[in-house]
Amino acid sequence: MATKYSELELALNTLVTEFHGAAGDEPTLSPAQFQTMISTQLPSMAKTVDNEEGLNQVLQQMGVESGQRVSFENFWTLIQQLATQQFSLMHKEKSVKCSCLLQ
Amino acid sequence: MATKYSELELALNTLVTEFHGAAGDEPTLSPAQFQTMISTQLPSMAKTVDNEEGLNQVLQQMGVESGQRVSFENFWTLIQQLATQQFSLMHKEKSVKCSCLLQ
């Protein structure tokens, strides 16, 4: 019988495999690969990173130095920011349905 | 029409709502609530935290001071460790199927 994973394990796996899939054979993403991943996986941020200035600003917030590639740790900095934002929103507005917070 | 979320957005949402659900009305978890969440959501770690010594060690690694409750930031430290471990395993052994890494 196949092992049944918990929701949390599956979520963790998704985050890791999304980055891994976007990076292909490399351990890191080029800024262009990062941009593509954002446009498909984080559409709410796609507009922010669709020009060089916005992209560079987001990369800088993730700790990516100018001209460098995006590591998993950099990506995780972004994920952490989004999760922390969402958690604090959720805690402030308990009546809001969780799924709405992603918009 | 309902908004369709990406895999990454859904995964992020799951991580936040799992903690939120385990914490109930509080913004933080008691060590006992944390222990219950681990046993259902991270069964691979359940044995480690089923005794006080193991639990305290994991809490300490998450930055929880003795006698303190578990914040979302503490929980996120654990999630980050697990994700980083999984990513480095995945990158080392490309032939291993991603789903096997959770075991």
Side-chain angles (χ1 to χ4, degrees):
Chain A
M1 210 180 89
T3 308
K4 204 178 171 298
Y5 294 111
S6 72
E7 291 294 312
L8 199 145
E9 286 172 318
L10 292 173
L12 202 51
N13 202 46
T14 300
L15 291 174
V16 176
T17 50
E18 284 299 336
F19 182 90
H20 188 67
D25 274 343
E26 300 292 326
T28 55
L29 294 180
S30 69
Q33 283 173 320
F34 172 72
Q35 217 169 12
T36 306
M37 182 178 70
I38 294 298
S39 67
T40 56
Q41 291 298 322
L42 292 170
S44 60
M45 280 187 66
K47 222 175 167 176
T48 313
V49 301
D50 79 351
N51 61 80
E52 204 169 346
E53 198 188 327
L55 176 64
N56 286 341
Q57 209 168 355
V58 171
L59 289 175
Q60 203 177 11
Q61 282 166 8
M62 291 162 63
V64 183
E65 307 271 342
S66 175
Q68 296 286 298
R69 295 172 63 91
V70 182
S71 69
F72 185 70
E73 285 67 29
N74 298 139
F75 167 67
W76 197 260
T77 305
L78 175 67
I79 294 297
Q80 176 161 7
Q81 282 167 5
L82 296 173
T84 308
Q85 272 168 25
Q86 194 179 333
F87 181 72
S88 67
L89 272 175
M90 200 177 274
H91 192 68
K92 275 181 201 144
E93 306 196 37
K94 281 178 187 286
S95 59
V96 175
K97 273 198 182 172
C98 303
S99 56
C100 302
L101 296 171
L102 288 167
Q103 287 178 321
Chain B
M1 212 178 89
T3 310
K4 205 176 168 302
Y5 294 111
S6 72
E7 292 292 312
L8 198 145
E9 287 173 318
L10 292 173
L12 201 52
N13 202 46
T14 299
L15 291 175
V16 176
T17 50
E18 284 299 335
F19 182 89
H20 188 67
D25 275 342
E26 300 291 325
T28 55
L29 294 179
S30 69
Q33 284 173 320
F34 172 72
Q35 216 169 11
T36 306
M37 183 178 70
I38 294 298
S39 67
T40 56
Q41 291 296 321
L42 292 170
S44 60
M45 281 188 65
K47 222 175 168 177
T48 313
V49 301
D50 79 351
N51 61 80
E52 204 169 350
E53 198 187 328
L55 176 64
N56 286 341
Q57 209 168 353
V58 170
L59 289 175
Q60 204 177 11
Q61 283 167 6
M62 292 162 63
V64 182
E65 307 272 342
S66 176
Q68 297 285 299
R69 295 172 62 89
V70 182
S71 69
F72 185 71
E73 285 68 29
N74 299 137
F75 167 67
W76 198 260
T77 304
L78 175 67
I79 294 297
Q80 177 161 7
Q81 281 167 6
L82 296 174
T84 307
Q85 270 169 28
Q86 195 178 334
F87 181 72
S88 67
L89 271 175
M90 199 176 274
H91 192 68
K92 274 180 202 145
E93 306 196 37
K94 281 179 186 290
S95 59
V96 175
K97 272 198 179 170
C98 302
S99 57
C100 301
L101 297 171
L102 288 167
Q103 284 179 322

